Amino acid sequence: MTKDQLILLLKKYKENKSKLRLKLREKEKKLRQLEAIKEAELKSGDNDVNSGIRSKNSVSDKVGNFASDTIDRENDLKLEIESLQKEIDELSGVVEEIDIRLDSLKYKEKQILIAYYIDGCTYEDIGNRVYLELFHQTRSTRHIQRLVERCTDQILKLRLKMS
């Protein structure tokens, strides 16, 4: 992984984490829809065995159309769930990669990198606000810049395979 790739992943961390949560919620919704279809199949199969039989053709058409529509909806949902799972796996890998790399830092270093790359704070803002909160003192823009560079290089040196 290059430094530019790492920085891009850090900058997109919040976005990727949010996308992951949305995709997980969407997958759960699709799974509930799939379960509802299966339950409806079971209920209709148990209750409607002989109800409404007037002629063989109309009953077989209704049952055939219902079964066909149900199978199509099930297959569509299964494909959507499969597609969502692929996206979830990819996003999970990216988010986990950054989490692991950030966890390798000390708490204060991690907070400074998060402030710079993820929250988009400037060096000056970090020196005057974030550094003050963490260390109860301020630092120059140049000092913060060197600190960010050092921490970035440190997490870049970790040899992790990105998914």
Side-chain angles (χ1 to χ4, degrees):
M1 175 184 298
T2 67
K3 189 172 185 175
D4 291 336
Q5 290 172 324
L6 176 66
I7 290 170
L8 184 62
L9 287 178
L10 284 166
K11 288 182 177 183
K12 288 189 164 191
Y13 178 76
K14 271 187 180 179
E15 179 184 341
N16 287 335
K17 202 166 186 174
S18 296
K19 281 182 186 178
L20 176 61
R21 289 178 36 214
L22 288 172
K23 295 295 180 184
L24 286 169
R25 187 169 37 169
E26 189 175 343
K27 179 185 170 192
E28 288 300 318
K29 181 181 175 185
K30 300 289 182 190
L31 287 171
R32 284 193 302 272
Q33 289 174 351
L34 188 60
E35 285 299 317
I37 289 173
K38 289 179 181 180
E39 287 177 20
E41 280 179 351
L42 291 174
K43 287 180 183 179
S44 68
D46 292 341
N47 299 332
D48 295 336
V49 173
N50 291 323
S51 65
I53 296 179
R54 296 199 179 151
S55 78
K56 289 183 178 180
N57 290 340
S58 66
V59 171
S60 65
D61 286 346
K62 283 182 183 178
V63 172
N65 288 340
F66 177 76
S68 175
D69 290 345
T70 303
I71 290 171
D72 289 343
R73 285 194 315 226
E74 273 187 64
N75 289 336
D76 289 345
L77 282 172
K78 286 178 182 177
L79 288 174
E80 289 175 29
I81 290 169
E82 187 178 307
S83 173
L84 282 170
Q85 188 59 49
K86 287 179 185 175
E87 291 178 57
I88 288 169
D89 291 344
E90 183 178 316
L91 286 169
S92 293
V94 170
V95 169
E96 186 178 13
E97 174 85 12
I98 295 303
D99 284 339
I100 291 169
R101 288 179 183 272
L102 287 175
D103 285 344
S104 71
L105 297 172
K106 294 176 186 171
Y107 174 78
K108 293 174 182 180
E109 294 171 336
K110 179 179 175 180
Q111 295 307 311
I112 289 171
L113 274 190
I114 287 172
Y116 183 70
Y117 288 116
I118 297 172
D119 295 337
C121 295
T122 63
Y123 293 128
E124 185 176 350
D125 189 34
I126 293 169
N128 293 332
R129 186 182 54 80
V130 178
Y131 202 87
L132 179 65
E133 290 173 14
L134 295 172
F135 296 103
H136 304 294
Q137 54 187 332
T138 60
R139 284 292 185 246
S140 70
T141 303
R142 183 69 189 132
H143 177 80
I144 299 299
Q145 186 177 4
R146 286 191 310 267
L147 186 60
V148 167
E149 289 295 321
R150 183 179 54 80
C151 293
T152 303
D153 289 341
Q154 184 178 342
I155 64 173
L156 183 62
K157 289 177 184 176
L158 287 176
R159 297 290 177 217
L160 298 174
K161 180 184 174 211
M162 191 178 126
S163 305

